[in-house]
């Protein structure tokens, strides 16, 4: 069978400990490294802007879940899955009963999760944590319009962008900037 990604449900807050435990079991050969090939806790980089300074931190975007890349054999899958399910803090594989063979997620779902966590090179997504409302007074701190001030005209949280109306040569001009380039006044 080919490698596929599986989602393991855990107690929230135990993700890092369980990932380390699985890696230890792989090193000690209690879990076959040919079966479990990768273990990941899905995290994304989050940039918070406070007092005009950017602070970066990792944020779990799927708390209580771990991604496992496995090449489960057709006949001997139960041994590996039982060892994983018996780890303290693990509640089981998503979408299956303990007696059933785990079901993998689709390749598109795996790709989306890996992109969001930055595991696919060149496609890392960084989110800026800040809340803006239409009509807020903001100052642009970076880019070609640095030092300009204006009012928020449109907020696009999916793209982490704002449209700000600034005065350029006495005219109101809409400018699109990212959340990281502005601060509230």
């Amino acid at each position: 069978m080919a490698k596929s990604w599986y989602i393991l449900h855990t107690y929230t807050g135990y993700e890092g400990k369980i990932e380390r435990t699985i890696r230890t079991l792989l090193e000690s050969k209690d879990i076959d490294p040919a079966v479990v090939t990768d273990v990941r806790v899905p995290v994304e980089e989050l940039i918070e802007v406070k007092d005009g300074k950017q602070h970066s931190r990792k944020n779990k975007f799927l708390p209580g879940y771990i991604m496992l890349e496995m090449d489960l054999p057709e006949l001997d899958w139960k041994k590996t899955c039982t060892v994983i399910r018996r780890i303290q803090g693990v509640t089981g594989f998503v979408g299956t009963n303990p007696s059933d063979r785990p079901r993998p997620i689709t390749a598109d779902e795996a790709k989306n999760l890996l992109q969001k966590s930055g595991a696919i090179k060149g496609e890392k997504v960084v989110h800026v944590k800040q809340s803006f409302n239409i009509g807020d007074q903001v100052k642009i701190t970076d880019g070609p319009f640095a030092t300009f001030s204006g009012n928020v005209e449109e907020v696009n949280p999916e793209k982490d962008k704002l449209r700000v109306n600034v005065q350029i040569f006495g005219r109101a001009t809409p400018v699109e900037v990212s959340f990281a380039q502005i601060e509230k006044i």
Side-chain angles (χ1 to χ4, degrees):
M1 185 165 180
K3 290 182 187 178
S4 298
W5 285 96
Y6 297 81
I7 304 294
L8 187 65
H9 188 253
T10 67
Y11 293 153
T12 303
Y14 280 64
E15 301 91 347
K17 179 182 178 190
I18 293 169
E19 179 188 19
R20 288 188 300 276
T21 303
I22 291 172
R23 290 191 189 281
T24 303
L25 291 171
L26 286 168
E27 289 172 11
S28 67
K29 305 281 193 237
D30 290 332
I31 296 177
D32 186 3
V35 175
V36 178
T37 56
D38 199 359
V39 182
R40 294 183 188 268
V41 175
V43 294
E44 64 185 343
E45 188 174 350
L46 186 68
I47 296 176
E48 293 181 295
V49 180
K50 291 183 182 176
D51 301 325
K53 295 179 184 173
Q54 292 184 3
H55 303 281
S56 178
R57 68 180 175 97
K58 300 283 185 187
N59 187 37
K60 293 178 200 150
F61 62 87
L62 287 177
Y65 296 95
I66 294 176
M67 295 178 67
L68 292 173
E69 186 180 37
M70 297 192 295
D71 188 3
L72 279 181
E74 290 295 325
L75 300 176
D76 215 14
W77 62 269
K78 249 186 184 176
K79 179 181 176 237
T80 302
C81 292
T82 302
V83 171
I84 292 170
R85 282 189 186 109
R86 288 190 177 159
I87 297 171
Q88 183 178 2
V90 172
T91 59
F93 287 92
V94 171
T96 58
N97 293 323
S99 60
D100 296 339
R101 181 184 170 92
R103 281 182 266 163
I105 60 175
T106 66
D108 288 339
E109 290 171 329
K111 183 180 176 189
N112 288 340
L113 290 172
L114 291 170
Q115 278 178 340
K116 192 171 183 181
S117 66
I120 297 176
K121 301 268 188 268
E123 299 186 31
K124 190 168 190 170
V125 178
V126 177
H127 291 282
V128 178
K129 183 181 178 184
Q130 208 167 40
S131 60
F132 295 100
N133 297 313
I134 294 174
D136 285 352
Q137 281 284 112
V138 295
K139 178 181 177 183
I140 301 174
T141 59
D142 191 26
F145 300 102
T147 70
F148 282 87
S149 297
N151 293 325
V152 175
E153 189 177 276
E154 182 182 323
V155 179
N156 189 343
E158 292 85 33
K159 294 184 178 181
D160 290 338
K161 300 250 181 204
L162 294 173
R163 184 174 302 142
V164 179
N165 242 348
V166 295
Q167 293 289 325
I168 300 176
F169 302 121
R171 292 184 164 194
T173 306
V175 176
E176 188 171 276
V177 293
S178 73
F179 286 0
Q181 293 178 304
I182 59 171
E183 64 182 29
K184 283 187 181 180
I185 298 178

